[in-house]
């Protein structure tokens, strides 16, 4: 944070008397020169609630997305100042404004390809969080830009601004050998961020579930296409370990508070592993809908997904998404996880109902969750 020199005067007196008083009287008024190294917004004070100051001034890139709203909410409720760079209309993100105290949530337009705009967005922050992501490529933003160039520019700008906390969100299955281009670029992104900012905190969440997710909702919505769910090898060769979005948001907040988190990579997963088949079966059981899976060969699934991918707005699926969802979640026994950040991960049995109630028919809207058998877990 740039040093600011504050000149403190008895402000209510000075303007009134300055015009009428002689220079002798004026020179007798005490003028104090203070050296301040931090902005007043980042001096912690208060009891830790929304109207106190946590000492955190965070720029959250990608705050308008699924994970973003949970991160902003958690930052706001502990009394942080939050800068939200956005590219959409301001009215489209008004739901974020009440998440922080008056004047603490600051919106500014940014252009991810403009380095100055990145610098401006983080100039007054002491924490930078990068949540930028997109499930599909566009003409303007291929995965190389979204997951490599933009994170690299954010890391460079963060380092140059002298900020010590950078949190970068990658993916659990980021791997340079992955069939998914998204995951290959995520792996490269991790490397460039680490190179540019060795102390960055890299978080690798598994597929996240939550009210606005594109995982449980995606499978539940498949019933619109012929009331049956296509799964490669019936989903019996893919193991998934989904994590609740709120746990990931909490992990980000706890990593901000933990001075030992710098430079670490975290693998964020849920408490249980499931076969994709059993997971989707559970989704349909909670939604009180019949589950009719059928096996589909990968090339045929890709062909169908390519048709959906032609949608210029928000493609419902893409060949890349098919590959990503049918990739078994990696295990990282050597990496710290949610527990190391003091979080007990929530299971799908506890939280899936929040996502899936809206997929129930009216008759089952209030049906007890206890009626549904928990999903079978696996330990490989
Ligand atoms: N969702 C998951 O299950 C999951 C799992 C593992 C890792 N992740 C990673 O976690 C991060 C957050 O995920 P999410 O689900 O919250 O993503 P999301 O809902 O797709 O939101 C992505 C955010 O990035 C912004 N963004 C994307 N491309 C941009 C660009 N070219 N310029 C400026 N802003 C851009 C979006 O802004 P607009 O609103 O303007 O488009 C949005 O705010 C991503 O990096 C994602 O890859 C997600």
């Amino acid at each position: 944070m740039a040093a600011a020199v504050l000149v403190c005067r008895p402000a209510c007196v000075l303007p009134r008397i300055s015009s009428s008083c002689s220079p002798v009287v004026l020179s007798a008024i005490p003028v104090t020169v203070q050296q301040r190294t931090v902005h007043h917004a980042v001096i912690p004070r208060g009891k830790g609630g929304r109207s106190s100051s946590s000492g955190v001034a965070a720029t959250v890139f990608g705050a308008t997305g699924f994970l973003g709203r949970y991160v902003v909410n958690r930052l706001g409720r502990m009394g942080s100042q939050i800068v939200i760079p956005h590219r959409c209309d301001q009215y489209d993100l008004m739901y974020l404004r009440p998440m922080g105290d008056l004047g603490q949530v600051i919106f500014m337009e940014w252009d991810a390809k403009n380095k100055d705009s990145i610098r401006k967005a983080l100039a007054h922050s002491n924490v930078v969080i990068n949540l930028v992501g997109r499930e599909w490529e566009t003409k303007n933003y291929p995965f190389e830009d979204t997951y490599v160039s933009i994170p690299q520019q954010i890391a460079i700008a963060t380092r140059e601004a002298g900020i010590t906390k950078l949190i970068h969100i990658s993916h659990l299955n980021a791997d340079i050998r992955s069939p998914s281009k998204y995951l290959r670029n995520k792996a490269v992104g991790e490397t460039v961020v680490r190179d540019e900012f060795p102390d960055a905190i890299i978080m690798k969440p598994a597929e996240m579930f939550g009210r606005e997710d594109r995982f449980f909702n995606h499978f539940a919505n498949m019933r619109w296409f012929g009331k049956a769910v296509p799964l490669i090898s019936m989903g019996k060769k893919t193991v998934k370990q989904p994590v609740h979005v709120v746990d990931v948001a909490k992990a980000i907040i706890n990593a901000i508070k933990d001075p030992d988190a710098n430079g670490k990579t975290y693998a964020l997963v849920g408490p249980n592993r499931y076969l994709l088949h059993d997971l989707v079966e559970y989704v349909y059981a909670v939604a009180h809908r019949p589950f009719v899976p059928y096996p589909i060969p990968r090339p045929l699934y890709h062909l169908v997904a390519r048709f959906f991918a032609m949608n210029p707005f928000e493609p419902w699926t893409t060949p890349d998404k098919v590959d990503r969802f049918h990739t078994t979640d990696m295990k990282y026994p050597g990496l710290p996880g949610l527990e190391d950040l003091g979080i007990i991960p929530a299971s799908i049995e506890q939280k899936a109902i929040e996502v899936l109630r809206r997929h129930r028919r009216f008759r089952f809207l209030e049906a007890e969750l206890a009626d549904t058998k928990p999903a079978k877990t696996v330990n490989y």
Side-chain angles (χ1 to χ4, degrees), residues 61-69 85-88 110-113 130-136 138 140-141 145-147 150 168-172 182 186 203-209 212-215 243 324-325:
F61 292 99
T64 54
F66 167 43
L67 174 59
R69 69 172 66 199
H86 65 93
R87 56 178 181 166
C88 55
W110 80 302
D111 170 7
K113 288 190 175 163
N130 176 18
L131 309 176
V132 172
R134 185 85 321 159
E135 285 202 325
W136 61 91
T138 60
N140 293 326
Y141 289 100
D145 281 359
T146 311
Y147 295 127
I150 297 176
H168 171 74
I169 309 297
S170 182
H171 193 287
L172 185 72
Y182 169 118
K186 277 283 191 192
M203 304 244 168
K204 290 162 74 70
E207 292 307 331
M208 291 184 278
F209 65 96
E212 308 82 5
D213 73 17
R214 289 177 297 271
F215 186 55
V243 62
R324 192 156 52 86
F325 277 8

Side-chain angles (χ1 to χ4, degrees), residues 5-69:
V5 179
L6 288 189
V7 181
C8 300
R9 305 157 197 259
C12 51
V13 198
L14 193 56
R16 258 188 299 122
I17 56 173
S18 56
S19 53
S20 54
C21 290
S22 73
V24 181
V25 176
L26 274 179
S27 65
I29 294 172
V31 175
T32 322
V33 178
Q34 280 185 14
Q35 285 289 343
R36 309 256 317 252
T37 51
V38 288
H39 190 273
H40 63 83
V42 294
I43 300 171
R45 63 182 155 74
K47 292 184 180 167
R50 175 190 164 89
S51 295
S52 53
S53 171
S54 63
V56 173
T59 298
V60 187
F61 292 99
T64 54
F66 167 43
L67 174 59
R69 69 172 66 199

Side-chain angles (χ1 to χ4, degrees), residues 193-225:
V193 168
R194 190 57 83 219
D195 286 349
E196 298 295 349
F197 198 104
D199 264 354
I201 302 168
I202 296 180
M203 304 244 168
K204 290 162 74 70
E207 292 307 331
M208 291 184 278
F209 65 96
R211 205 172 276 268
E212 308 82 5
D213 73 17
R214 289 177 297 271
F215 186 55
F216 281 4
N217 281 310
H218 174 78
F219 285 113
N221 282 328
M222 275 187 179
R223 69 178 188 280
W224 294 107
F225 302 99

